Amino acid sequence: PALFEALPNLFAAIVTWELAYWSERIGERIEPGDLEPMNGALAEAGRSVTAAQWLAGLQTWQRWARGVAALWEDDVDVLLTPTVSTPPRPLGQLAPTAQEPMDLVAGVTEGIAFTLPFNLTGQPAVSLPLYRNAEGLPIGVQLVAAYGREDVLIRLASQLEEAAPWSGARPPFSA
């Protein structure tokens, strides 16, 4: 819970920093209003994040990441999770203008609840389309290994693809 309380300030501050960085890089000031609404709202929110909030959030992030990495010290080779927390969403539901910007942040965050942790820890992970729902849409399975153990995932993914090939599978419709 502490990490998810810290992330909004961290992400908002990162977007604000990126605006300043790219403004300097291209020699033209980029304002939050120049961005898609969700990113613009994050940039605006980031302007009020203090250095103390940033450092506290960063410390929370690092402490949490070390705790997650410690899971692999106890004979865990691979962690199995869903890739996303919801079935595939209808096309356009997460479009930049589909809803209020901060509601969109919440919707996106919900969808990446299983992948985000390992983006934050830097651990290798792979998503494989090993299942299909009743509508024929692929359902991803995420495999996560210890930091630096991409070799474990590559070998396991290869074995799974051989056992249950997916390269020719297509949903029953296309957009």
Side-chain angles (χ1 to χ4, degrees):
L3 176 67
F4 285 94
E5 288 174 21
L7 286 179
N9 279 342
L10 289 170
F11 287 155
I14 289 168
V15 172
T16 301
W17 178 85
E18 288 280 345
L19 275 185
Y21 173 81
W22 286 105
S23 291
E24 183 178 323
R25 188 95 194 259
I26 67 172
E28 182 178 324
R29 186 168 172 82
I30 305 169
E31 294 292 339
D34 298 326
L35 306 176
E36 291 178 345
M38 181 178 78
N39 290 327
L42 284 170
E44 285 290 345
R47 290 178 171 175
S48 65
V49 175
T50 67
Q53 289 171 314
W54 168 260
L55 290 171
L58 192 58
Q59 182 182 42
T60 299
W61 178 350
Q62 291 170 346
R63 185 179 297 127
W64 179 84
R66 286 190 298 274
V68 171
L71 294 174
W72 277 262
E73 294 172 5
D74 297 325
D75 297 324
V76 172
D77 295 316
V78 175
L79 175 67
L80 171 70
T81 73
T83 300
V84 295
S85 60
T86 62
R89 297 188 184 196
L91 193 60
Q93 189 177 47
L94 295 177
T97 57
Q99 52 193 288
E100 289 297 315
M102 295 316 280
D103 290 342
L104 189 58
V105 170
V108 169
T109 302
E110 176 190 5
I112 61 172
F114 291 103
T115 57
L116 178 65
F118 308 105
N119 290 330
L120 296 175
T121 65
Q123 290 175 256
V126 62
S127 176
L128 306 174
L130 295 178
Y131 183 75
R132 298 217 172 253
N133 67 10
E135 291 79 33
L137 295 174
I139 303 296
V141 171
Q142 177 179 237
L143 304 171
V144 184
Y147 185 78
R149 294 306 313 264
E150 288 86 349
D151 62 310
V152 171
L153 292 181
I154 292 169
R155 285 195 309 269
L156 181 54
S158 175
Q159 292 168 2
L160 288 168
E161 185 175 21
E162 188 174 319
W166 60 76
S167 65
R170 300 285 182 269
F173 58 88
S174 61

